[in-house]
């Protein structure tokens, strides 16, 4: 249908995103096998869920558990846009290493809602623009972390798990495989640390998330290859970027110059 788009990444088959823009439709009672998390960008909606009638305003984050019947109807036929994330329970279980799916409220309040709204937008953008699977999955994990935060006890567990040897193993793996499309599952297999904690622990230990560290390794590789007067498009693909445009954007933000200008400098 016009105005509805879905985004998927073959590396992350258990995650999916949806954007509905400039299109109004009332959804009859239905359910998804995935955990569904959405945010209304414009307009308001009447939502029926688990026998309850809810009024959902713009900016609100709403969550439907797997197989929970629900129905949505915009209050205006021309001013209702929203985003949705669909997260398969298998992914949740792999993150928590637990067969029990956490319980989430239908609607979130105050600061939690604000943080989650940012999280949903980041996750959708990551899927839409085909960011690295490591970065995309980290966005989803950060969002779930906000939904399930249990306070100081959880943080103590993470600090206990943040041993230097794990950080060094992650760094070594990134240095060896930075040209590849690395996932958090790869890092979890390498270290034995669950991916729910891994990204956060790496950032605490190195001040950078793993995907940023990987991109910096790619940029440093590109700088060396540019000094050899090689074609920029070839360097971009060899370094692991999607294309020359992607490398140019990351390169300029990191180096301060475009690859073309950097390559033109006298060495």
């Amino acid at each position: 249908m016009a105005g509805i788009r879905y985004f998927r990444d073959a590396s992350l088959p258990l995650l999916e995103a949806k954007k509905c823009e400039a299109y109004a439709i009332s959804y009859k009672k239905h359910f998804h096998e995935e955990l569904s998390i959405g945010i209304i960008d414009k307009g308001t909606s009447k939502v029926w869920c688990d026998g309850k009638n809810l009024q959902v305003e713009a900016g609100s984050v709403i969550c439907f558990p797997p197989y929970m019947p629900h129905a949505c109807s915009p209050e205006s036929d021309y001013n209702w846009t929203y985003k949705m994330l669909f997260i398969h329970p298998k992914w949740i279980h792999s993150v928590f290493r637990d067969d029990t799916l956490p319980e989430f409220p239908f609607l979130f309040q105050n600061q939690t809602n604000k943080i989650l709204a940012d999280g949903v937008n980041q996750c959708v953008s990551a899927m839409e623009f085909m960011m690295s699977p490591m970065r995309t999955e980290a966005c989803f994990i950060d969002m779930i972390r906000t939904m399930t935060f249990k306070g100081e006890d959880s943080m103590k567990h993470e600090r206990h798990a943040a041993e230097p040897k794990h950080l060094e193993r992650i760094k070594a793996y990134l240095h060896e495989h930075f040209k590849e499309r690395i996932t958090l599952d790869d890092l979890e297999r390498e270290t034995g640390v669950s991916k729910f904690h891994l990204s956060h622990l790496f950032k605490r230990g190195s001040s950078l998330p793993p995907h940023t560290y990987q991109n910096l390794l790619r940029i440093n590789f590109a700088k060396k290859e540019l000094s050899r007067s090689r074609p920029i498009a070839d360097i971009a693909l060899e370094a692991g970027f999607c294309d020359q445009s992607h490398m140019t954007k990351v390169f300029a933000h990191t180096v301060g110059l475009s690859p073309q200008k950097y390559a033109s400098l006298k060495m």
Side-chain angles (χ1 to χ4, degrees):
M1 294 181 177
I4 294 181
R5 292 182 292 161
Y6 282 85
F7 308 103
R8 304 179 183 92
D9 184 335
S11 302
L12 303 170
L14 302 179
L15 304 175
E16 185 178 69
K18 172 185 178 182
K19 287 179 74 172
C20 181
E21 299 171 324
Y23 187 87
I25 183 172
S26 295
Y27 293 92
K28 296 182 179 180
K29 292 179 181 178
H30 64 287
F31 59 72
H32 309 279
E33 68 173 347
E34 304 94 349
L35 171 68
S36 307
I37 305 170
I39 180 172
I40 293 182
D41 293 317
K42 291 175 60 179
T44 58
S45 177
K46 293 180 179 178
V47 176
W48 177 90
C49 184
D50 195 28
K52 300 179 178 66
N53 292 308
L54 306 172
Q55 181 87 1
V56 186
E57 307 289 338
S60 296
V61 175
I62 190 164
C63 177
F64 304 117
Y67 299 104
M68 175 67 72
H70 59 278
C72 306
S73 179
E75 294 200 319
S76 170
D77 290 337
Y78 59 86
N79 193 34
W80 188 51
T81 64
Y82 65 92
K83 303 182 187 80
M84 291 293 297
L85 299 170
F86 302 100
I87 306 172
H88 198 283
K90 288 182 179 178
W91 185 86
I92 301 287
H93 298 327
S94 73
V95 170
F96 282 87
R97 293 186 174 181
D98 190 342
D99 291 334
T100 303
L101 193 70
E103 292 186 4
F104 305 117
F106 296 139
L107 290 171
F108 297 86
Q109 304 296 323
N110 304 324
Q111 188 65 15
T112 299
N113 183 87
K114 182 179 179 181
I115 296 172
L116 282 178
D118 290 339
V120 172
N121 285 323
Q122 290 177 19
C123 289
V124 173
S125 292
M127 297 290 287
E128 180 178 4
F129 297 105
M130 287 295 292
M131 296 179 183
S132 73
M134 235 186 345
R135 181 173 181 178
T136 297
E137 205 166 16
C139 288
F140 277 83
I141 288 174
D142 285 345
M143 181 184 63
I144 297 295
R145 179 186 296 278
T146 299
M147 296 170 67
T148 60
F149 181 68
K150 296 180 181 180
E152 185 63 21
D153 288 342
S154 174
M155 298 303 291
K156 285 180 180 178
H157 174 75
E158 291 175 16
R159 284 196 291 269
H160 178 71
E163 300 177 18
K165 66 177 182 179
H166 293 317
L167 297 177
E168 292 307 313
R169 288 178 67 180
I170 295 172
K171 287 182 179 179
Y173 187 90
L174 292 174
H175 278 265
E176 185 176 354
H177 300 276
F178 70 88
K179 298 178 184 179
E180 302 171 16
R181 196 166 169 81
I182 301 172
T183 67
L184 288 179
D185 284 325
D186 295 328
L187 299 183
E188 180 178 282
R189 284 190 292 270
E190 181 68 15
T191 63
V193 178
S194 75
K195 58 186 177 182
F196 180 72
H197 296 299
L198 191 147
S199 182
H200 183 65
L201 297 180
F202 186 87
K203 187 174 182 180
R204 283 173 60 90
S206 65
S207 300
L208 294 170
H211 67 267
T212 300
Y213 193 91
Q214 180 186 18
N215 273 341
L216 291 175
L217 293 174
R218 289 172 169 174
I219 291 300
N220 286 330
F221 169 82
K223 288 168 68 178
K224 294 177 183 176
E225 297 304 305
L226 286 168
S227 68
R228 298 170 184 167
S229 301
R230 293 183 56 201
I232 296 174
D234 291 350
I235 296 172
L237 293 178
E238 185 178 347
F241 292 104
C242 297
D243 51 33
Q244 181 176 335
S245 176
H246 182 204
M247 187 183 86
T248 297
K249 181 178 180 180
V250 178
F251 195 98
H253 281 302
T254 305
V255 180
L257 295 173
S258 69
Q260 292 90 336
K261 290 183 178 180
Y262 182 86
S264 70
L265 297 175
K266 292 183 179 180
M267 299 297 177

